[in-house]
Amino acid sequence: MAKRSKAQTEQTIKQILDEALQQVLSIGYESMSYTTLSEATGISRTGISHHFPRKAEFLIRLDANIAGLFINDLDFSTSAALEKSWMKAIESHRFCAILRLFFSLCGYSSKDITMFKAIDMARDTAISNLGPQGEGVFNDLLGRSAVVLLSRGYGIEADAA
């Protein structure tokens, strides 16, 4: 078998990460697997695990991308704009998927997944732009979002179905 070039390897990694991001946002991190990734990309499970030996590595590599998607949905110009943009964003599946991922990682005990930039970056932006009031609004919206997600059946029980 011919040795793959660095460019080919990077393209394979990009293809896997693109599909992993799509699956995290559509079916959820819990449901994403080496099998689902292999079926979607045509890359063998062994090939995927060669580049990503642990499932947690997908989140580590995708963290900044997920954070960017989350932040882009929000308007930090005023507290009212933040609340309005958040309430609009929570109607989107992608925004809810990121929130679900955050809440599911809250109880995750792996030291590898200690950073989830989406929420931290959004909170920091709220504080930077709006001061203590922004932090309060952000925390309130995050708490309200947990209730919204549970009421929509996006809790852990929904993953088992």
Side-chain angles (χ1 to χ4, degrees):
M1 177 186 247
K3 185 170 169 80
R4 293 173 47 92
S5 71
K6 183 174 176 147
Q8 290 171 317
T9 299
E10 288 302 314
Q11 180 58 36
T12 299
I13 291 169
K14 181 184 179 329
Q15 181 183 2
I16 295 167
L17 285 173
D18 288 349
E19 182 58 30
L21 177 61
Q22 190 278 325
Q23 288 190 21
V24 165
L25 297 178
S26 62
I27 64 174
Y29 177 70
E30 304 85 8
S31 297
M32 182 192 78
S33 67
Y34 290 96
T35 300
T36 62
L37 291 171
S38 176
E39 290 169 354
T41 61
I43 300 168
S44 71
R45 288 170 37 121
T46 304
I48 294 169
S49 66
H50 171 75
H51 298 292
F52 301 94
R54 296 172 297 133
K55 187 176 175 183
E57 291 181 35
F58 293 106
L59 290 182
I60 294 165
R61 293 283 301 270
L62 292 171
D63 194 21
N65 292 22
I66 293 169
L69 291 172
F70 188 76
I71 295 282
N72 286 338
D73 285 338
L74 302 175
D75 179 352
F76 295 94
S77 60
T78 66
S79 292
L82 175 57
E83 183 169 6
K84 182 179 178 183
S85 64
W86 188 294
M87 298 316 288
K88 180 180 178 192
I90 203 163
E91 296 303 318
S92 80
H93 179 78
R94 182 183 76 190
F95 194 81
C96 287
I98 295 169
L99 286 169
R100 282 186 66 217
L101 179 60
F102 166 72
F103 288 122
S104 71
L105 294 177
C106 285
Y108 202 77
S109 62
S110 173
K111 66 180 177 183
D112 295 327
I113 305 179
T114 56
M115 294 179 61
F116 185 65
K117 290 181 182 141
I119 302 300
D120 287 341
M121 284 176 60
R123 178 180 284 115
D124 291 347
T125 303
I127 293 168
S128 174
N129 291 7
L130 307 169
Q133 181 185 10
E135 181 178 25
V137 169
F138 181 88
N139 290 338
D140 177 61
L141 289 167
L142 190 59
R144 287 169 40 196
S145 296
V147 174
V148 168
L149 293 177
L150 288 172
S151 72
R152 292 181 185 170
Y154 290 150
I156 301 298
E157 304 82 30
D159 292 334

